[in-house]
């Protein structure tokens, strides 16, 4: 596969490989400044959370429109196939987009996806014309079933949502990249530091989606900018072709012409 200089998701060409969540920010102003500083062209929005804003809703949508980013609605907080499908259908009406970040949560403490429900919901939504971005684990079999269900993007977790632990299973993420060379792969959830985002990109991943690490930072705007820079650096390193690690040292200074003492 020849890496594309731009990210293409469901036929949409993007310059930025960072996707940013919109929850937990200190204020709408900080959210807007962080989004612009990051360079992100996709913002994820929870239909449930924004529906609860009531009168604040119109101001929020104006803010999103002013930022100029594409909205990726998500089904956050859904624990069943029916709930996720219904939420996605409502989001399509509200946002006017077939895109949906599909979440079907199976375990409350880790927010680990219910992969069985996820595949079922992905199949239903894909058949209904949705362009599905599934939040999944790093399981190869599940990933294959999601592709069979119609998903043209896969979003495996780095670690549990909001944990900041980074890439818990580098082997699994590397295996996914090797098995799906032509499917856009985006690490979604669990990243806490720009270095972790760079590490994901160095594995050959196509993008990163995060929220808490920026929203809860001491300076969200500066952190958003740092993540944007780290993702660019990680992608550049991957394209440059990193050296293979070695168990033994390899001298960087040639020994030819070195004096030999007897």
């Amino acid at each position: 596969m020849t890496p594309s200089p731009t990210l293409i998701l469901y036929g949409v060409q993007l310059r930025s490989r960072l996707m940013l969540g919109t929850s937990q920010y200190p204020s709408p102003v900080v959210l807007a400044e962080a989004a612009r500083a990051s360079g992100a062209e996709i913002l994820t929005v929870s239909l449930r959370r924004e529906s609860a804003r009531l009168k604040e809703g119109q101001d929020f949508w104006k803010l999103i429109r002013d930022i100029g980013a594409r909205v990726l609605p998500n089904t956050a907080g859904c624990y069943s196939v029916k709930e996720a499908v219904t939420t996605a259908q409502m989001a399509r009406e509200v946002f006017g987009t077939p895109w949906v970040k599909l979440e079907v949560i199976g375990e409350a403490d880790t927010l680990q996806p219910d992969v069985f429900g996820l595949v079922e919901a992905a199949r239903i939504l894909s058949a209904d014309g949705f362009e599905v971005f599934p939040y999944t684990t790093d399981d190869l079999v599940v990933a294959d079933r999601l592709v069979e269900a119609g998903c043209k993007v896969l979003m495996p977790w780095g670690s549990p949502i909001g944990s900041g632990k980074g890439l818990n299973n580098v082997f699994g993420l590397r295996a996914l990249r090797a098995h799906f060379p032509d499917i856009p792969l985006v690490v979604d959830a669990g990243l806490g530091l720009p270095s972790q985002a760079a590490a994901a990109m160095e594995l050959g991943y196509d993008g990163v989606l995060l929220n808490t690490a920026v929203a809860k930072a001491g300076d969200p705007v500066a952190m958003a900018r740092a993540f944007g820079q780290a993702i660019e650096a990680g992608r550049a390193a991957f394209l440059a072709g990193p050296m293979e690690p070695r168990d033994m040292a390899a001298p960087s200074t040639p020994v030819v012409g070195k004096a030999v003492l007897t």
Side-chain angles (χ1 to χ4, degrees), residues 109-112 135 157-166 168 188-191:
D109 290 331
T110 62
L111 298 179
Q112 179 168 328
Y135 164 60
W157 66 350
S159 53
I161 293 173
S163 68
K165 289 183 174 295
N168 270 357
D188 177 12
L191 302 184

Side-chain angles (χ1 to χ4, degrees), residues 234-256:
R235 179 66 178 176
F238 169 71
L239 295 176
M243 64 173 283
E244 292 293 329
R246 297 167 50 97
D247 291 329
M248 302 295 290
S252 58
T253 302
V255 296
V256 176

Side-chain angles (χ1 to χ4, degrees), residues 58-230:
Q58 293 302 315
D59 291 338
F60 181 79
W61 299 135
K62 183 179 184 302
L63 175 68
I64 296 297
R65 288 194 298 270
D66 289 346
I67 292 172
R70 178 178 289 267
V71 173
L72 175 60
N74 68 42
T75 62
C78 293
Y79 282 78
S80 71
V81 172
K82 181 178 180 180
E83 192 177 15
V85 169
T86 300
T87 302
Q89 291 169 339
M90 293 171 61
R92 180 165 60 181
E93 294 300 317
V94 171
F95 297 103
T97 177
W99 281 18
V100 63
K101 180 191 170 190
L102 180 61
E103 297 183 27
V104 182
I105 302 302
E107 205 280 320
D109 290 331
T110 62
L111 298 179
Q112 179 168 328
D114 170 1
V115 295
F116 305 101
L118 182 67
V119 171
E120 182 180 351
R123 184 173 290 110
I124 293 170
L125 292 172
S126 294
D128 191 26
F130 281 88
E131 296 173 338
V132 181
F133 296 67
Y135 164 60
T136 184
T137 63
D138 46 43
D139 187 286
L140 286 173
V141 177
V142 174
D144 193 52
R145 297 296 183 271
L146 287 167
V147 172
E148 290 176 357
C151 298
K152 297 181 180 179
V153 176
L154 296 174
M155 304 182 76
W157 66 350
S159 53
I161 293 173
S163 68
K165 289 183 174 295
L167 308 180
N168 270 357
N169 185 6
V170 173
F171 171 82
L173 293 172
R174 185 177 285 118
L176 274 178
R177 180 71 287 173
H179 279 72
F180 300 98
D182 299 317
I183 299 290
L185 300 180
V186 177
V187 170
D188 177 12
L191 302 184
L193 293 169
S195 58
Q196 296 165 352
M201 300 304 294
E202 288 167 4
L203 292 177
Y205 272 66
D206 297 284
V208 165
L209 192 159
L210 55 92
N211 185 170
T212 309
V214 170
K216 291 297 187 180
D219 185 339
V221 177
M223 186 62 78
R225 185 177 296 108
F227 268 103
Q229 294 168 342

